[in-house]
Amino acid sequence: MTSAESARHFIANAFTEGRSGRRIPVENPATEAVVGEAASADAADIDDAVRAARAYADAPETRDMPPVERMGMMFRMAEAIREIADTGARWLCTESGKPLADARGEFDEAARYFDYYGGLADKLEGRAIPLGGGYLDYTIPEPYGVSAQIVPWNFPVALAARSLACALATGNASVVKAPEEDPIALLMLGRAVQRAELPRGAVNIVCGYGEDAGAALVQHPGVDQIVFTGSVPTGQAILRAAAENVVPCVMELGGKSAGVVCPDADLETVAASVRTGIYFNSGQVCSAMSRLIVPESRHTEILDRVVALSESLSIGPGIAGHAITPLISAEQRDRVEAYCLGAEQEGARLATGGRRLDDRPGHYMPPTVVDRVQPGMRIAREEVFGPVLAVQTYPDDDTDRAVALANDTDYGLCAGVFTRDLDRAHRVARRLRGGQIYVNEWFAGGVETPFGGVGLSGFGREKGQEALNNYLRTKNVAVRLG
Ligand code: NAD
């Protein structure tokens, strides 16, 4: 790990400082020390990246590439990601604060996206549409061309890979805007691109702030399609920019997802899902289980168990393998703490946690359980993006009430139900609002399962075969037979 590897833009298969000459400091959230820096793209750098992407997308060799060749590129890329994973994971752990094992897991997931979409690259088929004897009609799935992808800081490597892999498999070129907080590990994917000997311009990654680099990218007239993962206000700004050029978007925004515990639920299962659902990545997960909706008769039992679990988790730097690691920044820590204070002021009760740990360097918030949360409270409706679980109750025999509470938010990303009753599981799953529903295991699924939201959580689906629809458009050819 040297600071020479601090992030530079990756354009047309070469690393470059960029034209602006400006740099962004990169902090270690566990020590608050500056550990690297990143280039900061301006509009001219973005233009370079989009031009490189356009050259690849429009080249006859790209358009006429046999699908099996694209498949080979994808598998080489998966292998190359695995080769750089150890170094990359240490950087990701350092700049994001997350546990080293989870950072390593992000690289494994990134490789898996390239394997998964590599396996689909030679199976993208059109169809023949019957029009009667005098005609032949068929469809061709075509790539959009240049895909712009804006990535947030919570899973920079895995989230970039999920869009990049699908775009590459479908014949698109990509320009990725890395998050300003932790761009270094993501830029290492450029080294994997070089190792895999992908064609120049297929994958381009730029660093920079959202308001200049990100905005310049989404406004660029050479961009044909946008995938955004991040917050609602930024998503809204990007949609406005996309409207100017009439460019389709995928919006992967936030969430306020709830797990409904039925009276017959197995509490071991519930506790395991609390551990991963709200404490994985210290709760900085769009699909986190940030609310638990429990039956009144089991409230005390569940609360005791969840509090004991929360207080048992080790807190410290990710590099030392702790369960709860620092939040990404001081601002994020302040924001999370403010939500906890606000919840108390609105009448909720902090069952554990809720105050920053200021006995050490680093942006730490402890695992926090907020009890007696009522539907109108901000803690019940707004995304906290930290290790904070809100607990709500419902009368045991009123499943309708439990579902209504779960659905009572403007978001709709994920939801879950915990029960031993198969019929009830399916009935409740149908009624919960969200793009992914979990039964008896939060985060069940993988790269194969379509992911995305409704309402303020956005639209479009990434992951799984559904994601191919984001990167391909249909051309119809109708032939009048002589
Ligand atoms: P953010 O919206 O502040 O930033 C996300 C990205 O957008 C960053 O790369 C940023 O530089 C860029 N950006 C900012 N302003 C821009 C602009 N005007 N034009 C173009 N790009 C711009 O979000 P964040 O705080 O980095 O990430 C946390 C949010 O992301 C949470 O709300 C979380 O729920 C959401 N998220 C969603 C998913 C999902 O798949 N649904 C996954 C992870 C995170």
Side-chain angles (χ1 to χ4, degrees), residues 150-154 159 162 177-180 209-211 214-215 228-231 234 238 252-255 286 383 385 413 451:
I150 311 268
V151 176
W153 47 261
N154 57 343
L159 292 180
R162 89 177 175 192
K177 208 292 278 171
E180 44 270 54
Y209 289 109
E211 58 271 23
F228 172 68
T229 307
S231 65
T234 307
I238 290 173
E252 295 279 11
L253 309 177
C286 54
E383 185 178 52
F385 226 59
L413 194 51
F451 180 84

Side-chain angles (χ1 to χ4, degrees), residues 366-386:
T368 297
V369 179
V370 187
D371 191 26
R372 298 188 199 148
V373 172
Q374 297 302 321
M377 295 179 179
R378 289 182 66 197
I379 197 83
R381 309 182 60 82
E382 297 180 19
E383 185 178 52
V384 175
F385 226 59

